[in-house]
């Protein structure tokens, strides 16, 4: 999702950027981690489509972000800054309201976070980024859908979109039900994580014989 130095403008094209803004407009709240705010200084508002700004939720358990970031400035969108509850916190950080949630091992308890947002009437939650934040929600089974956009861009080594625990077998990997959409030059996979996963693909007998023949050692 970015180069080693964090440059991500723009990996995907204009059609996918508009899709991102539509998702913001459709949701009650948009979540990002502190790393995304520190690196990109995003506004997280709806600008490329018609719609209402979501509540911006910034996860900062280590309390490292300065109040000069754009999400903490007074504008049309409300912002919640999430701290861990290990020590007292001020009521505000710039124009953002501070909310504390329980931590385990220095990491925010995401189930407690979602419960706190639900208590505020925020039901449709969009976890926008970055890769570490999305991966944590995916690992803990708290995502209903996952949108994966693939762009025709070769970066070489860079920052991965998902960082999950490694699997040794393909059969143990997540293979979700999905739909495929084209967005300009990009391809979007809309993965349904609540539906039963797709069964491991079967290879027909003729192709299996060809693969098997190719694997035989030369004599």
């Amino acid at each position: 999702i970015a180069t080693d130095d964090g440059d991500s403008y723009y990996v995907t094209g204009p059609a996918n950027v508009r899709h991102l803004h539509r998702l913001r407009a459709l949701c009650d709240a948009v979540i990002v981690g502190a790393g995304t705010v520190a690196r990109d200084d995003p506004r997280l508002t709806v600008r490329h489509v018609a719609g209402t700004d979501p509540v911006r939720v910034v996860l900062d358990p280590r309390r490292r972000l300065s109040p000069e970031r754009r999400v903490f400035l007074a504008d049309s969108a409300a912002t919640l800054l999430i701290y861990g509850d290990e020590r007292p916190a001020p009521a505000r950080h710039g124009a953002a309201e501070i909310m504390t949630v329980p931590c385990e091992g220095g990491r925010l308890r995401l189930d407690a976070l979602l419960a706190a947002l639900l208590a505020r009437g925020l039901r449709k939650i969009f976890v926008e980024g970055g890769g570490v934040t999305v991966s944590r929600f995916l690992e803990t089974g708290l995502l209903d859908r996952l949108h994966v956009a693939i762009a025709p861009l070769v970066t070489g080594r860079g920052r991965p979109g998902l960082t999950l625990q490694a699997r040794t077998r393909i059969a143990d990997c997540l293979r979700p039900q999905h739909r495929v959409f084209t967005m300009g030059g990009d391809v979007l996979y809309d993965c349904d994580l609540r539906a039963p996963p797709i069964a491991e693909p079967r290879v027909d007998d003729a192709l299996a014989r060809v693969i098997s023949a190719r694997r035989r050692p030369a004599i």
Side-chain angles (χ1 to χ4, degrees):
I1 57 173
T3 66
D4 263 354
D5 291 335
D7 183 24
S8 60
Y9 292 100
Y10 285 99
V11 172
T12 55
N16 188 253
V17 172
R18 286 192 296 271
H19 171 70
L20 176 72
H21 282 245
R22 288 190 193 101
L23 289 177
R24 291 178 184 173
L26 288 169
C27 292
D28 301 319
V30 56
I31 294 178
V32 296
T36 295
V37 173
R39 183 173 58 252
D40 298 339
D41 197 18
R43 283 184 280 175
L44 303 177
T45 53
V46 177
R47 301 184 302 281
H48 296 298
V49 299
T52 304
D53 292 332
V55 174
R56 302 174 294 195
V57 181
V58 178
L59 311 185
D60 188 15
R62 290 187 285 166
R63 309 187 183 193
R64 57 192 175 105
L65 294 174
S66 69
E68 290 78 26
R69 298 294 178 175
R70 291 192 292 185
V71 290
F72 304 137
L73 302 179
D75 58 18
S76 60
T79 303
L80 286 174
L81 178 59
I82 310 301
Y83 285 164
D85 64 355
E86 305 99 329
R87 53 193 174 96
R92 304 195 73 80
H93 187 76
E97 177 187 353
I98 292 178
M99 182 171 73
T100 61
V101 300
C103 279
E104 288 181 356
R107 306 175 81 182
L108 295 171
R109 273 188 48 197
L110 299 180
D111 58 337
L113 168 66
L114 293 181
L117 296 179
L118 179 61
R120 289 172 171 256
L122 305 175
R123 303 180 63 85
K124 291 183 290 184
I125 310 298
F126 174 28
V127 184
E128 183 171 322
V132 172
T133 299
V134 175
S135 298
R136 280 210 61 214
F137 274 91
L138 181 57
E139 281 182 321
T140 51
L142 295 175
L143 294 184
D144 297 305
R145 307 192 80 83
L146 177 68
H147 282 193
V148 179
I150 300 176
L153 173 71
V154 180
T155 63
R157 188 177 65 185
R159 300 188 181 188
L162 294 174
T163 52
L164 305 175
Q165 183 176 359
R167 304 289 193 269
T168 56
R169 300 172 62 245
I170 290 294
D172 297 331
C173 297
L174 179 64
R175 197 185 293 271
Q177 300 276 358
H178 62 274
R179 298 181 297 167
V180 183
F181 300 89
T182 57
M183 294 184 171
D186 305 325
V187 177
L188 179 88
Y189 287 85
D190 171 24
C191 303
D192 186 350
L193 302 179
R194 295 305 182 200
I198 298 174
E200 186 175 358
R202 296 183 63 85
V203 178
D204 64 69
D205 290 341
L207 182 56
R209 286 194 295 271
V210 172
I211 294 174
S212 178
R214 287 179 177 175
R215 288 178 177 171
R216 291 174 184 167
I219 297 176

